[in-house]
Amino acid sequence: MMSAPLRPIDYATETAPADARGHLLHNLILFGRLLRGLGLAVNIARVMDVAQALEFVNIGQRADFFYTLRSLMVHRKEDLPIFDQAFKLFWRKYIDEGQVIQFPRAHIRKRTKPVVKAPPLKEQPDNGNSQPNPNQPPVIEVTMTYSEAEILRSKDFAEMSAEELAEVKALIANLVWQLGQRRTRRLHPGRDNLIDLRRTLRKNINFGGDVLHWARRTPKYKPRPLVILADISGSMERYTRLLLNFIYSVSQALKQPVESFVFGTRLTRISRQIDQKEVDVAIKEVGHLVNDWAGGTRIGDSLKTFNFRWGRRVLGHGAIVLIISDGWDRGDVDLLGEEMARLHRNCHRLIWLNPLLGMSDYEPLTRGIQAALQHIDDFMPVHNLVSLEALAEHLAKLGQERGHRRQKFAL
Amino acid sequence: MNATSFTAFSSIDDLHAALAAQNYVAERGLSTAIFLALKLGRPLLLEGEAGVGKTEIAKVLTSLLNTDLIRLQCYEGLDISHAVYEWNYTRQMLFMRLAETRGEQASEAQLFGPDFLLKRPLLQAIDPSRSNAPVLLIDELDRSDDEFEAFLLEVLSDFQITVPEIGTVKAKHTPIVILTSNRTREVHDALKRRCLYYWIDYPSFDKELSIVRAKVPQASEQLARQVTGFVQELRRLDLYKLPGVAETLDWITALVTLDQQALHPSIVEETLGVILKYQDDVEKIKGKQSQSILAHVQATR
């Protein structure tokens, strides 16, 4: 990416100021381009801002030069280390031609090589048919008879063939998702008993100080934020690919931002990767980012990471949390209980989706799931299309109320 | 832009020294960001964990520039009538009644005149009758909602507001705008792009010690070193809510009030609630953990 040798000039020894400015601007533009390549939102207007700001700063002072650039070119804490590294490499006297430049890889999108590939399906589905065209609603095979469609809807994802999976993916993309609404503190004209003084006065301006018509306001409703935490450990492997499809289609269907995370032995945020125009691109990027596919599970630790690092940032405004896991946990059970309790206190509704619930003889007896169950609002299956439809219906019906806490199963 | 107050800082060093003289111990990067905010007339967005001194910056700048501080605390549903302006309805009603008793009818021009206008923080900040630029602190922006952010975007781009009944109000002196966020929600990118950005981190031991010395000079040197060391150690631990600099200052003030010259086990146990605000965290630190940190601090600081 930096094949052309970039040699910023040494300002300490530069004597002709007008000439230096020209070089500096040129270098700033190149630097801006480098940052953009690394995924920072830097455009030419930004670079011009920097050039303007540098008029007030002694650019011989490396620290001041550094902070001036940083305060104008970085707007997110996550981007700070990338900037620091890029700055260090770019703004120095000479660049060693042979040196390979290493950037923090996890942050660079699109340019990294996959570390561990996502688990492939048993057989690759026929790519010609399964590729949904974004402009056109996916065409679902209509040659099936009614009963075939029914069978597919209720067949366990884990038992499906590659063709069936491709079909189900198209069906998943068609599901309609809606979340319960949250009453916000913002008011707008309406019919509730909250008086709108501004409009009331306007309406009664001709009555000499008597109020004959009252104008009222009503609270505004907004959809609740959704947070998805999906288990991608070995025991969930058969479901993982489809669940990513599910996460993608939910994220696309909802207008509000959806935060999604996956966990096995550690927690990875995948919201940015999921936010793509094409489902296959999204899933591929997730595959590149995550490196604990099909390994062990430490749900407690992962939830702790979530609660400590992300909870405060993504659980505001009465969020609904979906945990997708079979509950097979190799970590500390007490920790799992504690962190489930914490998560439960901080969200509006906590829903655990368990693919094993689809099995007729399944009982949630593992210690992990026992510890978690008392902190769950809804415990639902997620093993076939019917269960996903049931989930969609359930989410759409969630009202204002929190529901009874410590509720048992909602099968 | 007000020439007299701003030229006081001809360089970053000047500003850095002036902040220090106000007992605000800033990182070089922060001084640079503030300097540029003043020079470029751009808003400064400060992010960081709670209690690292984001709001304090605005107060220090106010006294440094000898101007007014206008503060707008954000919350969900913050609307124009609380952020920008409101009409004084009671007075308007009374005025209409009085006119009625005189057999007249109050005209709209009379009712919606400057006499009845209540200026809220944003309108105060861009009031053209001001003789110098005020500091406008928009605190905890992450608590507001999209609607307010969109409105703010408009105000911060040209520092003018249109009040339908009166007309457009435009600032004569561009206010110095400080926005703070605790990152409970991501501030919209469009708004971020208007601003200079600085992330305030927890300070190093030496930085924090000098903050403690500057803010609580009556504390003994030993106590200051131990308290700072203790809090620094706590920040390395796996706690749900790490103590900020504000907590350090609260703690040492509490200890000074209790006439303590140095930390000892029982006083630490009794006052843990000043620095740790979650029961889980207190449980975790209480007893063995706090004793071992204390022993470590006593040995090294």
Side-chain angles (χ1 to χ4, degrees):
Chain A
M1 124 190 21
M2 286 185 56
S3 53
L6 302 166
R7 285 193 182 166
I9 46 158
D10 180 9
Y11 302 106
T13 59
E14 187 66 44
T15 44
D19 190 27
R21 290 220 70 82
H23 276 294
L24 178 58
L25 191 59
H26 182 69
N27 280 325
L28 279 177
I29 292 169
L30 284 180
F31 185 56
R33 224 178 267 169
L34 169 65
L35 291 180
R36 195 160 53 240
L38 292 170
L40 271 69
V42 175
N43 55 22
I44 193 69
R46 282 276 99 172
V47 176
M48 299 318 286
D49 288 342
V50 173
Q52 190 200 347
L54 285 175
E55 286 174 21
F56 302 106
V57 176
N58 174 11
I59 53 176
Q61 285 264 4
R62 196 177 163 89
D64 292 350
F65 181 67
F66 170 76
Y67 285 120
T68 301
L69 261 58
R70 197 168 86 167
S71 64
L72 281 160
M73 293 172 131
V74 181
H75 292 89
R76 246 203 302 267
K77 191 201 173 198
E78 290 80 6
D79 293 340
L80 291 177
I82 304 175
F83 176 88
D84 292 356
Q85 197 133 352
F87 182 90
K88 223 187 273 168
L89 288 168
F90 189 88
W91 298 99
R92 58 177 177 179
K93 285 184 196 170
Y94 305 103
I95 286 183
D96 205 351
E97 299 278 345
Q99 197 184 338
V100 181
I101 294 162
Q102 291 277 339
F103 285 99
R105 296 179 66 177
H107 297 282
I108 307 171
R109 287 194 272 155
K110 293 180 186 151
R111 285 170 201 255
T112 44
K113 282 259 154 53
V115 186
V116 176
K117 281 211 162 178
L121 295 168
K122 289 171 217 156
E123 286 168 55
Q124 282 302 320
D126 180 11
N127 277 336
N129 292 345
S130 66
Q131 195 90 358
N133 186 340
N135 304 322
Q136 231 176 326
V139 185
I140 304 154
E141 287 291 326
V142 284
T143 49
M144 305 190 277
T145 61
Y146 173 76
S147 62
E148 276 174 335
E150 269 312 293
I151 291 167
L152 185 64
R153 283 179 69 236
S154 50
K155 192 166 182 179
D156 196 310
F157 293 144
E159 291 160 7
M160 286 183 181
S161 69
E163 292 77 40
E164 285 172 322
L165 281 175
E167 253 163 51
V168 162
K169 278 182 194 169
L171 290 171
I172 287 180
N174 271 0
L175 285 176
V176 178
W177 297 99
Q178 239 180 350
L179 282 193
Q181 302 258 312
R182 174 183 69 96
R183 190 169 79 185
T184 68
R185 306 246 166 203
R186 191 165 286 283
L187 302 172
H188 63 149
R191 312 188 69 176
D192 267 313
N193 271 340
L194 302 152
I195 306 234
D196 184 344
L197 283 173
R198 184 172 293 189
R199 275 170 49 240
T200 300
L201 195 103
R202 281 252 168 230
K203 280 188 169 184
N204 297 283
I205 204 158
N206 294 327
F207 307 135
D210 289 317
V211 178
L212 302 184
H213 304 297
W214 291 101
R216 297 174 197 283
R217 292 190 295 179
T218 194
K220 210 169 168 175
Y221 283 78
K222 277 188 190 171
R224 294 181 177 280
L226 179 68
V227 178
I228 304 177
L229 297 157
D231 186 343
I232 50 155
S233 63
S235 58
M236 287 287 289
E237 195 178 355
R238 294 171 305 166
Y239 297 99
T240 305
R241 192 51 92 96
L242 263 181
L243 291 179
L244 288 178
N245 268 67
F246 159 74
I247 294 174
Y248 179 84
S249 73
V250 174
S251 307
Q252 292 290 311
L254 292 175
K255 282 194 194 76
Q256 69 268 43
V258 175
E259 288 288 344
S260 39
F261 299 81
V262 293
F263 62 90
T265 48
R266 63 188 194 90
L267 185 82
T268 316
R269 179 179 184 232
I270 57 167
S271 313
R272 278 172 189 261
Q273 282 68 29
I274 285 289
D275 187 21
Q276 300 282 345
K277 287 212 174 65
E278 298 236 3
V279 60
D280 294 321
V281 179
I283 291 181
K284 204 164 138 198
E285 293 220 350
V286 173
H288 292 178
L289 180 74
V290 178
N291 55 20
D292 54 345
W293 292 108
T297 332
R298 286 208 302 268
I299 309 180
D301 288 285
S302 303
L303 286 182
K304 184 172 178 182
T305 315
F306 175 79
N307 282 334
F308 279 44
R309 286 204 40 219
W310 292 99
R312 268 183 277 256
R313 289 177 59 190
V314 301
L315 290 182
H317 304 308
I320 293 172
V321 180
L322 295 182
I323 297 180
I324 310 174
S325 169
D326 54 10
W328 288 102
D329 187 22
R330 298 198 198 145
D332 182 349
V333 174
D334 293 335
L335 180 69
L336 176 60
E338 260 169 51
E339 295 306 326
M340 282 299 289
R342 201 195 295 273
L343 181 57
H344 196 205
R345 283 198 298 273
N346 285 321
C347 68
H348 175 77
R349 201 161 186 112
L350 183 53
I351 301 173
W352 187 302
L353 302 175
N354 189 342
L356 297 184
L357 264 185
M359 287 160 34
S360 53
D361 53 348
Y362 172 76
E363 279 187 63
L365 295 178
T366 57
R367 294 219 305 137
I369 204 114
Q370 280 294 328
L373 262 185
Q374 49 183 320
H375 305 294
I376 299 171
D377 291 317
D378 306 296
F379 193 43
M380 300 176 76
V382 60
H383 62 292
N384 59 17
L385 211 54
V386 174
S387 61
L388 281 184
E389 286 165 3
L391 173 68
E393 201 176 314
H394 183 70
L395 286 177
K397 276 195 300 198
L398 287 183
Q400 270 303 307
E401 277 76 45
R402 268 197 154 189
H404 297 290
R405 289 267 149 141
R406 302 194 186 290
Q407 170 181 334
K408 292 274 160 53
F409 307 111
L411 269 173
Chain B
M1 217 180 276
N2 187 341
T4 49
S5 57
F6 286 12
T7 44
F9 312 114
S10 59
S11 71
I12 298 169
D13 294 302
D14 275 3
L15 179 69
H16 198 67
L19 288 174
Q22 292 280 336
N23 284 342
Y24 192 93
V25 183
E27 298 282 342
R28 182 76 183 183
L30 180 56
S31 302
T32 309
I34 299 172
F35 179 77
L36 290 174
L38 295 178
K39 285 288 178 196
L40 301 175
R42 280 203 182 216
L44 173 61
L45 170 63
L46 298 172
E47 285 194 328
E49 302 297 336
V52 290
K54 298 187 292 293
T55 305
E56 188 69 14
I57 286 281
K59 294 181 185 161
V60 170
L61 264 185
T62 309
S63 72
L64 211 56
L65 300 171
N66 196 17
T67 180
D68 297 325
L69 175 66
I70 299 167
R71 179 174 178 161
L72 178 64
Q73 170 68 50
C74 295
Y75 53 86
E76 196 200 347
L78 178 61
D79 55 11
I80 290 188
S81 63
H82 288 100
V84 188
Y85 72 98
E86 180 71 306
W87 295 103
N88 191 338
Y89 304 113
T90 2
R91 277 193 69 187
Q92 282 176 324
M93 284 287 180
L94 284 171
F95 185 81
M96 279 155 74
R97 290 248 161 185
L98 280 174
E100 175 96 349
T101 54
R102 290 196 302 268
E104 300 162 13
Q105 197 177 29
S107 75
E108 229 180 282
Q110 287 172 316
L111 276 177
F112 294 100
D115 286 352
F116 299 102
L117 185 68
L118 297 175
K119 291 176 184 167
R120 304 293 195 207
L122 289 181
L123 196 58
Q124 286 172 22
I126 63 161
D127 191 343
S129 63
R130 285 190 171 275
S131 58
N132 61 358
V135 172
L136 172 62
L137 169 64
I138 300 174
D139 216 2
E140 302 189 330
L141 182 62
D142 48 336
R143 287 193 183 199
S144 72
D145 46 19
D146 298 343
E147 288 91 338
F148 180 70
E149 253 179 46
F151 179 75
L152 201 57
L153 191 63
E154 210 181 307
V155 175
L156 293 185
S157 50
D158 17 279
F159 294 100
Q160 65 174 36
I161 294 172
T162 303
V163 179
E165 294 90 349
I166 291 182
T168 302
V169 182
K170 188 167 170 53
K172 208 182 270 171
H173 305 285
T174 309
I176 300 146
V177 186
I178 308 278
L179 300 118
T180 76
S181 160
N182 289 328
R183 288 228 299 179
T184 56
R185 177 176 73 84
E186 210 62 65
V187 174
H188 200 277
D189 273 353
L191 189 55
K192 280 184 160 185
R193 267 183 247 125
R194 291 271 142 92
C195 307
L196 288 136
Y197 175 82
Y198 190 79
W199 170 266
I200 305 187
D201 228 329
Y202 290 120
S204 63
F205 175 80
D206 293 331
K207 267 266 136 78
E208 189 161 21
L209 184 61
S210 41
I211 295 171
V212 167
R213 280 188 193 133
K215 293 279 178 188
V216 193
Q218 61 275 36
S220 75
E221 178 64 19
Q222 191 188 13
L223 186 64
R225 294 189 77 86
Q226 288 183 349
V227 164
T228 312
F230 196 98
V231 175
Q232 291 268 335
E233 286 302 316
L234 279 185
R235 289 199 195 117
R236 289 165 195 255
L237 298 177
D238 199 13
L239 295 175
Y240 186 59
K241 183 84 188 79
L242 297 178
V245 182
E247 273 77 27
T248 315
L249 294 174
D250 282 351
W251 197 27
I252 196 153
T253 313
L255 292 169
V256 168
T257 315
L258 297 171
D259 286 330
Q260 300 299 318
Q261 296 298 313
L263 285 181
H264 56 83
S266 62
I267 197 78
V268 170
E269 296 284 291
E270 284 158 19
T271 53
L272 261 188
V274 182
I275 39 175
L276 298 176
K277 307 291 169 70
Y278 280 82
Q279 183 56 21
D280 302 1
D281 289 346
V282 176
E283 289 290 320
K284 192 169 173 182
I285 299 304
K286 223 175 183 169
K288 241 195 206 153
Q289 181 81 286
S290 80
Q291 301 312 325
S292 78
I293 298 176
L294 184 57
H296 175 75
V297 167
Q298 281 167 338
T300 53
R301 304 294 184 195

